[in-house]
Amino acid sequence: MKLIGMLDSPYVRRVAISLHLQDIPFEHVPLSVFSTFDAFSAINAVVKAPSLVTHDNVVLMDSGLILAHVERLAASELKLSPVDLKTHARAQRIVGLALAACEKTVQIVYERNLRPSEKWHQPWLDRIRGQLVAAYRLLEDELGRSDRWLFGDRPLQADITSAVAYRFSREMLPEIIGPDAYPALARLSDQAEATEAFQAFPFC
C-alpha cells in the first residue's frame, strides 16, 4: 500500500503512525497538495491528503475512512479502537474533538496564508479561534483523567489523534496554543513524540 501526503498534515501523520503501530506495511509517498499538485493529481484527481492506494489499487481518501478500512486489516491485539461500547463512545468523542481542533487550525492557517491580509474577515477568524479553543479546552478535560495512555498500556487512536493534533496546532498557531495552556495535552504530546512510531513519522 502507498500513503500519499506530507507529514506536516495531521491527517496524513495520524494515518502513518496508526499503520505503523498496527504493523501494516506501506510506502509513504510525500507529495504536497500545493508544490506537487500535478504529481498528486496523477494518483488521485481530487488531490486530497491523505490518500491511500490499496494493494488492489483502490484509492481511498479521508483519514477517518482510511483508518476504518485498515483497522479491518490489523491483528486483533493491534487494533486501535476500544471494544467496549461505552469506552468506544468516549474514545470517539476524544478523536472528534481532536479532529475539530485540526480543522479549525487549518482554517485559520489557510485564511492567513492564502488570502491577502486586507481581505481577512476578522469576525470569521474570531469565530474559528473560539471553536479551536473550545475543542482544546474540552479535550484537556478528557485527558486530565488519565495518567498515561487514555485506555490502557499502549496508545490507541484517541491518543494518537490527540497528540498529533496538539503538535500541529502548537507548531502552526503558537500564539493561540501555547506550551503551558493545556498541560495534560502537552504531557500526552511529549510522551507520544518520544515513542518509536511518532519518531518514525515526525512532524515536518
Side-chain angles (χ1 to χ4, degrees):
M1 294 194 295
K2 294 183 179 180
L3 176 64
I4 318 299
M6 304 293 289
L7 292 175
D8 60 358
S9 162
Y11 307 107
V12 175
R13 193 177 183 218
R14 83 182 189 113
V15 171
I17 292 167
S18 298
L19 286 166
H20 186 80
L21 285 170
Q22 292 178 104
D23 200 22
I24 298 174
F26 71 101
E27 176 188 354
H28 176 223
V29 183
L31 296 180
S32 168
V33 299
F34 295 107
S35 62
T36 55
F37 184 92
D38 291 342
F40 205 132
S41 66
I43 298 170
N44 181 357
V46 179
V47 193
K48 181 176 175 61
S51 292
L52 183 77
V53 183
T54 72
H55 294 298
D56 297 323
N57 286 320
V58 176
V59 179
L60 305 177
M61 56 189 134
D62 184 278
S63 64
L65 298 178
I66 291 169
L67 290 171
H69 175 71
V70 299
E71 183 89 351
R72 293 180 171 227
L73 305 178
S76 58
E77 69 274 12
L78 296 178
K79 293 184 185 297
L80 299 174
S81 297
V83 175
D84 173 73
L85 187 61
K86 183 176 181 179
T87 307
H88 184 269
R90 181 176 169 235
Q92 292 296 84
R93 168 177 166 77
I94 291 169
V95 171
L97 287 169
L99 290 176
C102 287
E103 175 187 311
K104 299 309 169 185
T105 301
V106 169
Q107 287 179 327
I108 293 172
V109 170
Y110 278 15
E111 181 76 10
R112 289 178 176 178
N113 293 352
L114 300 181
R115 193 187 299 272
S117 58
E118 66 272 14
K119 294 186 177 181
W120 290 356
H121 186 53
Q122 194 58 48
W124 173 241
L125 280 170
D126 292 342
R127 176 176 175 175
I128 298 169
R129 177 175 178 146
Q131 291 173 288
L132 172 65
V133 170
Y136 275 123
R137 176 177 52 78
L138 292 169
L139 197 54
E140 178 76 7
D141 289 345
E142 289 287 347
L143 268 59
R145 307 179 194 179
S146 302
D147 293 330
R148 187 164 167 74
W149 303 116
L150 284 160
F151 299 105
D153 59 359
R154 65 186 180 97
L156 298 184
Q157 192 55 241
D159 303 282
I160 297 164
T161 303
S162 296
V164 166
Y166 176 76
R167 176 68 185 277
F168 174 67
S169 297
R170 192 185 69 195
E171 296 284 348
M172 303 305 294
L173 301 173
E175 75 285 4
I176 300 176
I177 309 301
D180 301 322
Y182 304 98
L185 276 161
R187 183 175 65 249
L188 176 69
S189 175
D190 290 344
Q191 177 178 290
E193 295 289 351
T195 65
E196 188 270 338
F198 274 68
Q199 290 183 9
F201 300 97
F203 178 88
C204 57

